[in-house]
Amino acid sequence: MESDDLAFDVFARACPSRGTLEHITGKWGGLTLGALREGSFRFNELRRRVDGVSEKMLSQTLHALERDGLVHREAQPTNPPRVDYELTPLGHAVAERLLALISLVEERMPEVLTAQARYDEERGTAARGATAGRAGAAGRGGR
């Protein structure tokens, strides 16, 4: 059976799409694809663009994205060797959708920050109360 005939379901445990989705949506995969949407990069240029990624993590990320057909690696036989990374057509399609999500998150960050502050305030008060309640119960011979 050819892969075109298979039905993929990311919610199914054994579906191979889960691994690819993880490569795309993981912290470094998403940022790497987003950066490469800007154009071709050499390894160290890409590392500087994706602020905070280690050399090891970027290398692993690029290998995974290349294996998934999202990134093309071109090594030029020069001295020193020159390696360029760019998105494949599939990588461009994925990066466009990913950047739309990134834009949405960035635009709505004020709402996210407000929700986080509200959550932390509510849980902080609730957590202190729950902790005090358990301590009191323990002191009275409970739990």
Side-chain angles (χ1 to χ4, degrees):
M1 181 185 282
E2 293 196 21
S3 63
D4 290 347
D5 298 334
L6 297 176
F8 296 101
D9 179 3
V10 76
F11 296 101
R13 182 184 326 189
C15 185
S17 63
R18 276 194 180 186
T20 301
L21 184 64
E22 185 178 333
H23 298 155
I24 293 167
T25 60
K27 178 179 181 178
W28 302 121
L31 293 173
T32 299
L33 287 169
L36 286 171
R37 182 68 175 88
E38 299 170 8
S40 177
F41 283 89
R42 293 177 73 177
F43 185 86
N44 284 325
E45 292 172 332
L46 188 55
R47 188 165 169 228
R48 283 190 296 275
R49 180 67 180 109
V50 181
D51 192 24
V53 68
S54 70
E55 187 172 322
K56 178 182 177 181
M57 283 308 304
L58 181 57
S59 180
Q60 289 175 354
T61 298
L62 287 166
H63 285 292
L65 296 173
E66 182 182 6
R67 182 172 183 263
D68 290 338
L70 303 171
V71 170
H72 174 71
R73 177 185 185 272
E74 184 162 338
Q76 298 174 10
T78 58
N79 193 6
R82 178 186 171 110
V83 179
D84 292 293
Y85 296 91
E86 63 185 357
L87 294 177
T88 64
L90 175 60
H92 274 281
V94 169
E96 282 180 35
R97 287 161 178 83
L98 184 61
L99 287 172
L101 176 61
I102 289 169
S103 292
L104 174 66
V105 170
E106 289 175 341
E107 289 168 12
R108 304 297 287 266
M109 276 311 295
E111 293 171 68
V112 171
L113 294 173
T114 298
Q116 288 175 346
R118 184 173 46 249
Y119 179 94
D120 291 346
E121 185 177 313
E122 290 171 1
R123 297 309 187 277
T125 303
R128 281 193 297 276
T131 302
R134 280 195 300 272
R140 293 187 302 270
R143 287 192 170 198

